[in-house]
Amino acid sequence: MMSAAFLCCASSNAMAALEVFACEPEWASLASEIGGDKVKTFSATHARQDPHFIKARPSLISKVRRADLIVCSGADLEIGWLPLLLERAGADVQRGAVGNVMAYQYVPLLEIPTVIDRSLGDIHPDGNPHIHLDPRNLLLVGKELLNRLVLIDEGNSDFYKLRFAQFETKLNTAIARWLEEGKQLKGMQVMTKHKSLSYLIKFFGLEEVASLEPRPGLPPTSSHLAKILESVGSKNVRAIIRAPYESDRGIDWITSKTKIKNVIIPYTVDGDDNSGDLFALFDRSLAILKSAL
Ligand SMILES: [Zn+2]
C-alpha cells in the first residue's frame, strides 16, 4: 500500500512541473530560484538580444501557448513582440490573469516622463522598464511570483514559500555586502548608451552625467554627441557603460577623443562568462565597475 501510494504521488509531482515563460533571462532565473524543480523555465531572449526588439517567432508562440505563467518586465519593454505572442496564448496568461506577471507593477519605477512624445522615439513612456538591476526589486517581484505560484500550484505552496524565504535571506545578505563593497563607487561619474543601467547606477550611487541617446530609443545624433564631448572637460567621467546587446555606435567616437573607457556590464544572467546566475550578475557588475574607477 505504502509503496503504491508513493509511486502514485511521486510520478504525478514529476509531471506537474509548471511551465514558466520569461521574457528576459533575469525573470527565468528568479522563477527558478523560487520554483526550483517544480518549474520549467524558458527565456524568450538572451543577454545578447535587445529585449525591446525581438521577433515574435513561431517557436516563441508555441512556448507561450504551453505556459502556465509568464513573467516579463512590462512597462512597454516588450511592446513590439509580447502582444503578438499573447494574441495566440491561452486565457490563463493574459493581462490581469493569475498567470501573467508584469514585474514593473511591483517596484518603484525610475524616470517616469512628465511629457511623452512617441514621435520623438521615446520607448520608455511608462518609466524605465530595466528594473532588475536594482537587486531590491528582485525581492519585490519575487514576492509576487511566490504569490502566483502558490495560487497556480497550491499543492506545492510550502515548497515555494521555503524556497522564497531562503532566496530572500541569501539576497538580503548579498545586498548588504554589495553595498559595503561598492561604497567606493559612490559618486563615480559614468555615461550610458541607453537608459538600460539606471537601476544599477542608482543602487551603487553612481552619477550618470549623460546618455548618448538624446531620448530613450533615439540613436545618438552628432550634435548631441558634440554637446556631450564639450561637457566632458569639466567632469571626471570614468566610463561609458552599456549592455552587451547595445552597439558601440557613438561610444567609439567619444572614447577616441577622451580617456573615458568603453565598459560592458553583463546586464542580465549570462551577459558574460562570469554572470551565470542573479548573484553572480551583481558580483560581476560590481567588480567591473570597481576596475573602471
Ligand atoms: Zn530601454
Side-chain angles (χ1 to χ4, degrees):
M1 285 289 281
M2 285 277 288
S3 69
F6 175 75
L7 279 177
C8 128
C9 299
S11 79
S12 77
N13 271 352
M15 284 168 63
L18 294 185
E19 303 251 354
V20 177
F21 178 100
C23 288
E24 291 87 23
E26 60 270 20
W27 306 128
S29 287
L30 185 60
S32 294
E33 292 282 352
I34 301 163
D37 61 4
K38 308 283 185 239
V39 301
K40 210 169 111 196
T41 60
F42 169 81
S43 177
T45 55
H46 59 71
R48 277 159 222 285
Q49 277 179 311
D50 185 340
H52 306 89
F53 305 110
I54 64 159
K55 290 229 162 20
R57 301 187 310 273
S59 62
L60 294 179
I61 291 169
S62 73
K63 285 282 184 194
V64 86
R65 288 178 80 136
R66 282 207 300 275
D68 300 296
L69 176 67
I70 70 166
V71 49
C72 301
S73 299
D76 279 2
L77 179 63
E78 304 94 353
I79 189 83
W81 52 278
L82 184 59
L84 296 168
L85 295 182
L86 285 178
E87 271 176 26
R88 310 287 298 277
D92 293 351
V93 296
Q94 298 297 332
R95 189 168 275 269
V98 175
N100 179 304
V101 175
M102 292 295 127
Y104 83 101
Q105 293 179 321
Y106 305 96
V107 305
L109 285 186
L110 298 178
E111 299 161 8
I112 296 173
T114 45
V115 182
I116 299 159
D117 188 344
R118 278 187 177 279
S119 69
L120 293 173
D122 196 333
I123 56 174
H124 293 166
D126 293 327
N128 189 318
H130 303 274
I131 57 173
H132 65 287
L133 284 175
D134 184 331
R136 295 166 295 204
N137 288 346
L138 297 177
L139 282 179
L140 298 172
V141 179
K143 188 86 216 290
E144 187 58 27
L145 273 181
L146 170 65
N147 293 341
R148 304 300 182 94
L149 287 169
V150 165
L151 285 170
I152 296 168
D153 184 18
E154 207 193 331
N156 287 315
S157 58
D158 288 345
F159 176 86
Y160 298 130
K161 284 175 188 165
L162 178 66
R163 297 265 317 182
F164 178 76
Q166 289 167 339
F167 173 71
E168 186 178 36
T169 303
K170 190 177 164 194
L171 187 59
N172 276 326
T173 304
I175 286 171
R177 178 171 57 79
W178 291 324
L179 288 174
E180 179 61 31
E181 292 175 3
K183 264 184 182 163
Q184 67 199 95
L185 297 176
K186 272 217 160 58
M188 174 185 181
Q189 292 189 334
V190 293
M191 294 181 184
T192 58
K193 175 75 189 286
H194 174 69
K195 291 278 190 180
S196 50
L197 301 165
S198 299
Y199 291 84
L200 189 71
I201 286 169
K202 180 172 178 246
F203 179 68
F204 284 123
L206 312 182
E207 185 193 341
E208 182 187 33
V209 301
S211 184
L212 269 55
E213 290 182 347
R215 293 175 77 94
L218 244 200
T221 58
S222 45
S223 64
H224 183 63
L225 291 178
K227 216 160 50 179
I228 288 174
L229 187 64
E230 215 179 298
S231 71
V232 160
S234 62
K235 298 193 169 75
N236 186 24
V237 181
R238 313 305 301 181
I240 302 178
I241 56 177
R242 67 182 167 103
Y245 65 82
E246 290 165 1
S247 83
D248 257 344
R249 194 173 154 202
I251 296 178
D252 45 3
W253 189 77
I254 301 267
T255 53
S256 71
K257 293 182 166 13
T258 61
K259 289 204 164 74
I260 299 172
K261 299 181 195 108
N262 177 358
V263 171
I264 300 175
I265 302 290
Y267 178 74
T268 187
V269 174
D270 287 332
D272 67 17
D273 290 345
N274 298 299
S275 303
D277 66 21
L278 290 167
F279 294 92
L281 168 64
F282 288 96
D283 282 336
R284 181 76 177 136
S285 302
L286 175 61
I288 291 172
L289 287 171
K290 282 168 89 166
S291 70
L293 253 183

